[in-house]
Amino acid sequence: MIVVLKPHTPTGGIDRVIREIERLGYKPHPVCGDIQTIVAAIGDETTHGSLETLTAWPEVESVMRVQKRYKLVTREGDRPDTTITVRGQKIGAGQPLCLMAGPCSVESETQLMTTAEAVKKAGATILRGGAFKPRTSPYEFQGLGEKGLKLLSKARDEFGLSIITELLSEADTDLVAEHADILQIGARNSQNFQLLIRAAKTGKPVLLKRGLSMRIEEWLLAAEYLLASGNPNVFLCERGIRTFETYTRNTLDLSAVAIAKKETHLPVIVDPSQGCGRADLVIEMCKGAIAMGADGLLVEVHPNPSQAWSDGQQQLDVSLFNELVRVISPFTQAAGRPQTT
Ligand code: PEP
Ligand code: MN
């Protein structure tokens, strides 16, 4: 860590800070300028006490971290890209782009089966659908709960698709894990650390959405909770963050995709549906996501978006989803991730 002292700190004050750095187990290397002194404190920050308390000292202007706060999700140490296998399908690490698609919410057997059949035919391998829905208003459709999970399991049996669905609360963990192949942790829960630990311990792969106002470091630290709880099978999912813009529901942060790919070895999935909240932009967002190195897409598809019980404005109908698959093909080719189906 680097400790920056205030301008013109007297020698006695500098010595006091240096002694405290030593007391905390670091080796201090002071660099004294005419006006200001900085102290490089050498020691493994992950095994020593934090020097950040020094910011409360009257002599200290700032304390800067040198090492990353996350140890397991980092690429440092030349860790190879993580590949996650979901019911035999390998995702990440240069594998073909993975298509996850399905309705925002599971609404009925007919709605789910119609969608499952269509997205499978188009080339998706994973069916999405919320059975427990995080809704802003308590008066909006909250999801079918267990009935929705059973329908998802039925769709897996019938169409051979893997299932991703949201785990909303710790209390439902065992039930959701019984039906899901991937547990989705939603944007509103991505810093619910107890839920993350519980989800990780099921042993199922976990897809971690980025929270609405989460910095990239916070997102990666939330992923660190999952890995630190013994689960290496974590997907990061960029789904847009809240900004001042009103033309889109959220601002899909494609730079976060590139950064997550550079910083971590985890597969990165892009959700353009929550990301921009507009069906007419989803295809364009997918092209960008593939160019940024995304390992998969999570797209909302509904047989009749105008009748959807949630997020109708952003769901693609079946013909638009077919068009998406066709239009992204040269992009997956160019990125070296062509789909095999
Ligand atoms: C969803 O996928 O339907 C959803 C609610 O996502 P998010 O948590 O990103 O808002
Ligand atoms: Mn949705």
Side-chain angles (χ1 to χ4, degrees), residues 16-74:
R16 222 164 75 83
V17 172
I18 287 175
R19 279 199 303 277
E20 178 65 2
I21 291 172
E22 280 172 336
R23 194 185 71 75
L24 287 166
Y26 293 81
K27 215 166 168 304
H29 293 272
V31 181
C32 302
D34 287 343
I35 298 169
Q36 226 165 340
T37 293
I38 62 168
V39 186
I42 309 297
D44 187 353
E45 292 160 24
T46 55
T47 53
H48 287 75
S50 172
L51 288 177
E52 266 154 15
T53 48
L54 279 173
T55 46
W57 286 42
E59 295 88 352
V60 174
E61 190 167 273
S62 60
V63 177
M64 287 178 285
R65 208 172 255 289
V66 177
Q67 290 177 351
K68 300 273 166 60
R69 292 168 81 192
Y70 37 84
K71 296 187 277 181
L72 301 173
V73 304
T74 179

Side-chain angles (χ1 to χ4, degrees), residues 103-105 128-130 132-135 166 184-189 209-210 212 237-240 249-250 271 273-275 298 300 310-311 314:
C104 175
S105 305
R128 65 147 289 152
F132 292 96
K133 294 302 299 176
R135 303 309 300 278
E166 179 161 353
Q184 175 176 322
I185 301 290
R188 291 157 190 82
N189 257 327
K209 297 268 194 122
R210 181 179 178 192
L212 276 79
C237 179
E238 164 60 37
R239 48 77 72 206
R249 178 181 178 187
N250 291 296
D271 173 348
S273 306
Q274 328 301 320
L298 178 66
E300 288 187 346
S310 60
D311 286 351
Q314 68 192 33

Side-chain angles (χ1 to χ4, degrees), residues 112-127:
L112 188 67
M113 299 304 156
T114 310
T115 317
E117 186 174 17
V119 299
K120 161 99 186 187
K121 200 162 160 230
T125 50
I126 299 181
L127 177 67

